[in-house]
Amino acid sequence: MTPGGIVTQLVHLALMLALAPLLVGLVRWLKARLMGRRGATPLQPWRDLLKLLRKQPLLAESASAVSIAAPYLALGATAAAVALVPGFARGMALAPMADLILVAGLLALSRFALALAAMDVGTAFGDLGAARQMSFAALAEPAFILSVLCFAILAGSTNIDAIGAVFAEGGPGLRVSLLLALLALLAVALAENGRLPVDSPSTQLELTMVHEAMLLETSGRYLALWEMQAALRLMLWLSLLAALFLPFGTAPAFSGVFGWAAGLLAWAVKLAGLAVALAVFESATARMRLFRVPEFLGAALLLALLGAVFLFLSTGSA
Amino acid sequence: MGFGQLSFDMAHLLAGGVLLLCFVLLYQRRVAAVIHALALQGVALALAVAWQGWVLGMPGLYIAALAALGAKAVAIPIGLRLLVRRLELRRAVDSAIGIGPGMVAGVALVALAVLVVLPATPGSGVLAREGLAIALSVVLLGMLMMIIRRHPIGHVAGLLSLENGLVLAAAGPRGLPLVVELATAALVLVLTAVAGFFALRLRDDVAGPGPGLLHQPYAEGDPPGKAGR
Amino acid sequence: MTAALAILLCALLLLALAGGGAARWSALARGVHGGCLAVSVGLMALGGAVLAGGGGAPLLLPVGPPWAPLSLAVDGLSAWFLLLLGAVGAAAGLFAWTHEATAPPRRLIAYPLFLFGMALTLGAADGFTLILGFEAMSLASWGLLVARALESRGEDERLAARLYLGFAIFGAACLIPAIALMGGLAGDLSFAGLRAAPVQGGVAALVMALVLLGAGSRAGLVPLHGWLPIAHPVAPAGVSALMSCAMTKVALYVVARLLLDLGGPAQPPGWGAPLLVLGAASALLGALRATQEVDSKVLLACSTIEHVGLVAMGLGLSAILRAADLGPLASVAAGAALLHALGHALFKTLLFLAAGEVEHGAGSRRLDALGGLIHAMPLVALCTLFGAAAAAALPPLVGFAGEWLLLQALLSAWRVGALWVQVLVAVATAVAALSTALGAAAMLRFWGLIFLGRARTPRTLGAQEAAPPARAALVALVVLSVGAGMLPGSLLALAAPAVAQISGHAGLVVAGPLVVSASTVASDYWPLGVLGLLALFAGGLAAVLRRWSPHPAARGPVWDGGFIAPPAHLPFGDPATQASAAGFAQPLRRLLGGRLLMAREVVHLAAPGDPAPARLEAGFHDPVLPALLRPLSAGRERLAGAAEWLRDLGIRQFLGIAFGTLLLLLVLLALVDPA
């Protein structure tokens, strides 16, 4: 753990926390522009957060300590996962811990906390959202792990930094398996973040909600924490996709001002590109019926499995 | 030749794209989407064949690629669309065993293809082996689609995908002699088959007074009692 | 060391005798439970001491038949499982001390005998003693179920006891021939002798099948898992915990001992495949059933099937990797299996005892009758949350450590090279991840429906916090399981002898007090670091928000999407506006239940104009047990019919049958004689 690594880690974390709501705002703004509206400025999510923090929160009478503690735990777990995923630089202080399975576990922890908070008050919507979210995760998680299997075979490790380093050198080349793993990961990312076509991030139609249904009873700073958690999760997934599939241009740990600037620029371009892709995709896609979602995620799971099988075919002979 | 070389990687990726579109075909439940995916598969196949022609230096393959592009990516999809509209076929392509099990069966078939190809091709390069496995998978998936789909368009899609697999195998890295002629002949054969098939099959399907049009507007294959979601 | 085990075993026999005396002196009941507690602590200490310092030579017991002298020994593998048994036994003893002070003598006799059977199985140094202990364990636990059935006189309990006995007899009928086959005609049943002459070829396949059927039925591996969700919940919570956490592990120990330690060396790569497949099937089916069950203890029993399946997957994978000469990876898989076995024993005991406390306090085990208990039983709720989170494999708890190692082993197993192994392992990886996620959903449903929301029945509101000794047991289990989750590296270092015995690879996984590593190239897991990060971020957030957003929260009525306030006769709100147990399970029932569990759902809509509410009927049944039992009962009928003619035979015919059997056996002996 070098001092350079620690500094990089701190800068990375600060950037991630500051930019996450901006990213959400950017996607919203892009979608509005694509639909021909002017749209709110990308700063709007930050303003909303600060406004929510100033308000007095209201808790339901039947709420227990779970409603109070769960948002801190969920946001803490997501932030811990964010600290592990490399952004603009590689070789951060926490890089030895940056294991893909651990990231999946931390996301599961925040999901569990969210579902607990949803069930705490005892309303139909909260229970419904929690049940649906855990069921979708039951298919999303194996799809993620099977994609990790593809990376583990190609890079020999499940450490994100190590995978990024191997891929940045172009060792594995273009592979059908990587294409399949990418598709599977994209589907998982859409489902985990509650984006179209799995769940609409701005829906107000109760019957179809998943994520929003769980937050109906929260307000004030608790709502702000949950919103921040959702934003951070989107940031995490986009950074993860960038770190695994677009590992080019990432700066080494402590490479001076110019190295950092180049890394920051590359990272910003990647994130912006992914945000544009997400906005275009969401604008062009209709929300699918709730009971089609398992098929969607099941297809992702099978594609990832297919990717692994093809890797066996090509590595079995080597 | 191995991974990391552009020629190899592109061939690999394009063949993989054809296979992936087979799964897209299996996943669809709307006629329009099936035809769309079929056209995309035609494009991917044409690209794969053309790339192979460039790599192997066989200009004849360009002709085969052009033929595939024209027929499979343009002519057949347009024809199918017209047919669907004129005959007022059902919009939904229902599957006999459901989408999920169909996909599982598809992955199992691919695994089977891999298991068959691996011991059958000792000594040959990774590229030949993977190309053959992908082509065999595409053929098997086409057959699967023909078996599990109830809709005539689904059968046509299965047949075309099967033929795509054959062309993919013929244009593989080892290559067959007379590949261009073979591909063209297969194309003509399939076109005849499709035409004949439609003439025979659709008469049965459309002959009735049209209860097919009164199919439930939604919830095919779901348990009852959750309409309205 | 071995002498200490013998002393502890004798103490358990004496405690069983004392339990018989409790009919006259009722104060003895507490003494028996206290004694069992002390012996369990002794077993735990013994296991730890042997793991740290090494065991001793086998001890020949002065009892037993001359052809198979009984012998005891404690080596690394048995010490690890003794540690686990001791921990579960101690917690269950403390619970029984609180709640079972007036237990009838038949239970007080059977309870120490149950512990005795498990400890004897673990301490056996030869096949005969192993069988003896295994059968003592089966019969004593059957006695506990019978005692319960006699007390409650319920039809379910009687059915459970009968089913249990059937499976116990079946297990014995498989395990005894298996050990006989392993011993061969030489007849040396001591472990040293068995290890020197491992089984080969067709006999090996037969032994594998018999052991998997015999011990697998006791461990609850699919397809012989059907009795477990029926029998485990019948017993009192402490005994349920012992059955679910210790007995299944003893069965897994038998599998590991016979198949991996004694029969493991020089086997083909297919040796571990059946174990891996059965484990994956158990994990998936158990987890899925756990998401559907409506009774809290049945749910926990199904979750046990899941975790037993995961441990079995680790064992099978270890055998596969060992056969492929990938020693370091084999030791990772074996370490995952052992760590997860210990972790499961700790958190599942915690969950069973908590379910017992909830049943005691709130009067029901049905999820549909509970709810909102976090207000009445805050400490039990908190302790249970730790257990549920560990069972859901959330970092940084102990469940995640085991699953992390297992997944790492699965993700590295493609190095074996054979394509069928690679495809099998890829599917197993998907199933393991799927079961883990399903298990998380099941644990959320378990904890959320019991402790969160509003009370579903008025009785729930009268619940009381647990009594101090039971509370102590729960807190101790939380401390143990959290500690195990924080220090998996140290635990694995302690388990090194056991890992070496199973995997045949001496050099263990890179494991320090702070870090666990799958191998030098793969990846590391730092549980303390994860805990530190979580504490840092969550605590930092709380501190920051205390400054930025200082307003205390106000309390108001629940909004609930705009529902009107409940009528006066429902002071706690309409329970029907919360999810029911079946309702919460609906998405997964539609997703997977229809195909795997024959789940069904029927909506009965009232006729138009009828004000009656619509009703949803949902349910499922596990197809495996009926599929096993139906042909069995038909076969019994047929056999009974066929045996009718035996009645009419004379004495000569009977003698003829006996003589013929003898001749047949002699011919068999002549044929299989190796000389």
Side-chain angles (χ1 to χ4, degrees):
Chain A
M1 218 183 261
T2 59
I6 294 175
V7 172
T8 319
Q9 182 73 60
L10 291 177
V11 172
H12 163 80
L13 197 60
L15 274 176
M16 283 284 209
L17 290 172
L19 290 184
L22 275 184
L23 187 70
V24 173
L26 179 68
V27 174
R28 276 190 209 152
W29 180 78
L30 282 169
K31 276 174 76 178
R33 298 303 296 182
L34 283 170
M35 290 170 190
R37 292 186 280 117
R38 275 182 61 198
T41 130
L43 283 175
Q44 192 60 38
W46 259 125
R47 292 186 189 150
D48 290 346
L49 287 179
L50 294 177
K51 180 186 74 182
L52 282 172
L53 283 185
R54 281 197 302 274
K55 294 200 165 196
Q56 183 184 29
L58 182 67
L59 283 176
E61 278 152 357
S62 51
S64 69
V66 169
S67 284
I68 299 169
Y72 294 101
L73 179 63
L75 186 50
T78 315
V82 158
L84 300 180
V85 176
F88 71 96
R90 201 173 297 133
M92 299 183 296
L94 293 177
M97 277 175 68
D99 179 74
L100 275 173
I101 300 175
L102 179 62
V103 170
L106 287 171
L107 286 174
L109 179 60
S110 65
R111 191 189 310 128
F112 199 83
L114 174 59
L116 283 182
M119 294 180 78
D120 185 33
V121 177
T123 61
F125 281 133
D127 290 346
L128 177 143
R132 285 178 179 173
Q133 198 202 22
M134 293 309 274
S135 313
F136 294 162
L139 284 178
E141 208 153 283
F144 182 76
I145 296 291
L146 279 181
S147 312
V148 175
L149 176 61
C150 293
F151 300 131
I153 295 173
L154 284 174
S157 173
T158 56
N159 187 293
I160 306 174
D161 251 37
I163 296 172
V166 171
F167 283 15
E169 289 162 12
L174 292 169
R175 297 265 192 154
V176 178
S177 306
L178 278 181
L179 175 72
L180 296 170
L182 171 66
L183 289 174
L185 268 190
L186 285 176
V188 172
L190 289 174
E192 284 277 311
N193 285 297
R195 311 299 299 195
L196 287 172
V198 173
D199 184 18
S200 173
S202 54
T203 186
Q204 292 303 324
L205 179 62
E206 290 93 340
L207 274 179
T208 60
M209 290 190 296
V210 182
H211 182 259
E212 295 297 315
M214 292 188 275
L215 302 181
L216 280 178
E217 303 290 336
T218 53
S219 58
R221 60 172 165 272
Y222 305 118
L223 185 57
L225 285 170
W226 287 122
E227 301 256 318
M228 183 70 187
Q229 193 254 344
L232 213 50
R233 198 177 42 193
L234 182 66
M235 186 75 178
L236 168 87
W237 273 99
L238 293 192
S239 295
L240 188 65
L241 288 170
L244 291 175
F245 291 98
L246 309 165
F248 319 106
T250 315
F254 196 63
S255 54
V257 180
F258 289 107
W260 272 25
L264 277 172
L265 189 68
W267 187 48
V269 168
K270 285 184 235 169
L271 280 186
L274 285 171
V276 170
L278 178 63
V280 170
F281 178 77
E282 282 206 304
S283 304
T285 318
R287 191 177 178 289
M288 66 171 74
R289 286 182 59 215
L290 198 69
F291 296 99
R292 298 274 176 262
V293 174
E295 273 171 17
F296 178 71
L297 289 172
L301 169 61
L302 291 173
L303 285 185
L305 185 60
L306 205 59
V309 169
F310 269 98
L311 270 184
F312 297 147
L313 181 64
S314 54
T315 51
S317 63
Chain B
M1 199 149 63
F3 285 101
Q5 292 176 3
L6 187 67
S7 63
F8 174 83
D9 282 350
M10 275 310 284
H12 181 68
L13 212 56
L14 288 170
V18 175
L19 177 67
L20 183 62
L21 283 163
C22 266
F23 277 92
V24 173
L25 277 171
L26 268 182
Y27 180 73
Q28 299 301 338
R29 51 179 81 236
R30 305 253 158 223
V31 165
V34 166
I35 297 176
H36 202 72
L38 207 54
L40 274 179
Q41 200 183 31
V43 173
L45 178 74
L47 281 177
V49 173
W51 182 264
Q52 212 59 45
W54 188 71
V55 169
L56 301 178
M58 286 174 63
L61 279 178
Y62 292 136
I63 302 171
L66 267 182
L69 189 69
K72 285 174 190 156
V74 182
I76 291 183
I78 291 179
L80 286 179
R81 244 175 252 261
L82 284 177
L83 266 179
V84 168
R85 198 167 307 158
R86 177 131 48 85
L87 299 177
E88 294 187 343
L89 294 181
R90 303 193 301 273
R91 297 281 185 78
V93 198
D94 46 351
S95 167
I97 58 173
I99 298 286
M103 299 274 293
V104 173
V107 171
L109 284 180
V110 174
L112 180 70
V114 167
L115 283 172
V116 167
V117 165
L118 198 60
T121 55
S124 61
V126 179
L127 179 55
R129 176 184 297 186
E130 272 207 51
L132 200 54
I134 290 179
L136 184 57
S137 314
V138 173
V139 170
L140 290 178
L141 287 175
M143 287 185 178
L144 177 72
M145 213 173 328
M146 290 181 71
I147 292 166
I148 65 171
R149 293 292 199 191
R150 290 212 186 94
H151 196 281
I153 294 289
H155 292 175
V156 170
L159 189 63
L160 281 171
S161 154
L162 192 155
E163 197 259 353
N164 286 348
L166 290 178
V167 172
L168 201 60
R174 283 290 177 80
L176 285 180
L178 296 178
V179 55
V180 182
E181 291 79 353
L182 277 177
T184 322
L187 188 58
V188 172
L189 193 70
V190 165
L191 280 178
T192 339
V194 170
F197 172 81
F198 255 81
L200 291 174
R201 175 70 214 267
L202 287 190
R203 201 182 307 143
D204 302 342
D205 205 58
V206 192
L213 300 177
L214 297 177
H215 271 263
Q216 293 171 335
Y218 42 69
E220 56 280 350
D222 288 336
K226 58 176 197 203
R229 278 289 153 81
Chain C
M1 288 296 172
T2 319
L5 178 68
I7 293 168
L8 289 173
L9 286 172
C10 289
L12 282 173
L13 287 179
L14 287 178
L15 283 171
L17 276 181
R24 185 163 299 164
W25 301 286
S26 60
L28 268 179
R30 277 239 154 115
V32 171
H33 290 309
C36 287
L37 171 64
V39 171
S40 298
V41 173
L43 288 175
M44 198 156 62
L46 174 66
V50 171
L51 281 173
L59 178 73
L60 277 183
L61 293 188
V63 287
W67 42 270
L70 298 185
S71 54
L72 291 177
V74 186
D75 57 4
L77 188 58
S78 31
W80 181 259
F81 281 87
L82 274 178
L83 188 72
L84 179 159
L85 171 66
V88 179
L94 207 53
F95 185 85
W97 169 274
T98 320
H99 291 293
E100 301 277 317
T102 55
R106 9 173 207 273
R107 275 222 312 261
L108 290 175
I109 299 175
Y111 186 76
L113 282 179
F114 184 31
L115 279 176
F116 169 81
M118 289 194 275
L120 184 63
T121 313
L122 295 178
D126 65 289
F128 187 70
T129 317
L130 184 90
I131 288 282
L132 216 59
F134 199 74
E135 294 315 315
M137 170 184 92
S138 294
L139 290 180
S141 52
W142 176 66
L144 284 168
L145 287 187
V146 168
R148 185 71 171 186
L150 288 175
E151 282 164 44
S152 67
R153 298 179 183 282
E155 189 54 38
D156 289 350
E157 284 82 355
R158 275 182 47 204
L159 175 77
R162 219 162 49 207
L163 198 63
Y164 192 91
L165 184 65
F167 272 92
I169 292 174
F170 174 78
C174 291
L175 215 50
I176 292 172
I179 292 202
L181 279 174
M182 288 180 85
L185 291 173
D188 184 6
L189 286 178
S190 73
F191 284 167
L194 291 178
R195 202 176 283 127
V199 283
Q200 303 285 346
V203 181
L206 193 58
V207 166
M208 159 72 84
L210 286 173
V211 170
L212 280 184
L213 285 175
S217 75
R218 204 93 303 240
L221 286 179
V222 168
L224 298 174
H225 64 289
W227 60 275
L228 202 140
I230 297 175
H232 281 192
V234 166
V239 178
S240 296
L242 268 178
M243 283 183 172
S244 214
C245 306
M247 188 170 71
T248 55
K249 299 300 165 0
V250 171
L252 284 175
Y253 162 82
V254 172
V255 170
R257 173 69 80 185
L258 294 182
L259 295 183
L260 269 59
D261 177 26
L262 300 182
Q267 294 293 353
W271 186 246
L275 206 50
L276 183 66
V277 171
L278 288 186
S282 312
L284 180 59
L285 206 61
L288 186 61
R289 275 194 70 172
T291 64
Q292 301 293 323
E293 296 290 352
V294 294
D295 180 307
S296 59
K297 279 171 86 176
V298 179
L299 190 159
L300 291 178
C302 288
S303 158
T304 295
I305 300 177
E306 176 208 345
H307 290 284
V308 162
L310 290 174
V311 175
M313 282 175 84
L315 292 177
L317 192 63
S318 174
I320 290 177
L321 292 168
R322 179 187 195 177
D325 277 337
L326 293 168
L329 285 178
S331 72
V332 173
L338 291 181
L339 188 64
H340 199 65
L342 181 69
H344 174 253
L346 293 175
F347 65 68
K348 193 50 70 65
T349 308
L350 170 60
L351 290 175
F352 261 113
L353 296 190
E357 282 302 328
V358 166
E359 186 183 4
H360 186 76
S364 181
R365 293 189 334 222
R366 284 179 50 243
L367 297 177
D368 273 337
L370 300 167
L373 279 175
I374 191 172
H375 302 289
M377 316 172 86
L379 187 83
V380 175
L382 184 67
C383 293
T384 317
L385 181 59
F386 274 99
L394 297 181
L397 299 173
V398 66
F400 182 77
E403 303 242 4
W404 187 87
L405 270 179
L406 180 62
L407 279 177
Q408 285 292 351
L410 283 167
L411 291 180
S412 310
W414 57 274
R415 290 172 217 265
V416 168
L419 192 64
W420 66 269
V421 174
Q422 293 176 331
V423 174
L424 182 70
V425 164
V427 175
T429 310
V431 171
L434 180 61
S435 324
T436 309
L438 286 175
M443 281 303 131
L444 175 82
R445 180 169 166 269
F446 170 77
W447 199 80
L449 289 180
I450 290 181
F451 292 104
L452 295 181
R454 288 168 283 128
R456 288 178 177 78
T457 52
R459 169 72 181 83
T460 315
L461 295 166
Q464 299 265 320
E465 185 64 280
R471 253 189 271 176
L474 292 180
V475 171
L477 281 168
V478 168
V479 170
L480 276 181
S481 80
V482 170
M486 288 305 127
L487 299 170
S490 308
L491 275 175
L492 282 176
L494 191 66
V499 170
Q501 267 179 311
I502 294 182
S503 67
H505 183 263
L508 183 74
V509 219
V510 184
L514 292 179
V515 59
V516 186
S517 178
S519 70
T520 45
V521 288
S523 200
D524 302 338
Y525 171 53
W526 308 66
L528 278 173
V530 176
L531 181 73
L533 272 185
L534 283 176
L536 184 71
F537 285 122
L541 266 173
V544 166
L545 284 199
R546 179 164 293 179
R547 287 180 63 97
W548 285 4
S549 174
H551 317 285
R555 292 274 172 171
V558 62
W559 179 57
D560 199 7
F563 255 60
I564 54 168
H569 63 272
L570 290 171
F572 320 112
D574 188 351
T577 59
Q578 291 185 85
S580 64
F584 200 85
Q586 185 221 34
L588 279 172
R589 186 166 55 237
R590 287 203 178 145
L591 186 61
L592 292 167
R595 297 194 191 274
L596 293 179
L597 288 178
M598 303 167 90
R600 62 190 158 67
E601 266 179 33
V602 192
V603 178
H604 298 283
L605 287 171
D610 186 353
R615 281 183 305 111
L616 171 73
E617 273 181 18
F620 71 93
H621 66 265
D622 194 340
V624 179
L625 186 61
L628 283 179
L629 288 188
R630 210 167 296 132
L632 264 184
S633 62
R636 190 189 64 181
E637 292 290 319
R638 220 167 317 124
L639 263 185
E644 277 297 304
W645 64 271
L646 275 178
R647 291 195 198 197
D648 303 334
L649 294 183
I651 180 77
R652 279 180 41 243
Q653 278 100 332
F654 271 125
L655 282 177
I657 289 175
F659 184 59
T661 314
L662 181 67
L663 279 186
L664 201 67
L665 288 175
L666 285 175
V667 168
L668 214 59
L669 196 63
L671 283 182
V672 299
D673 193 351

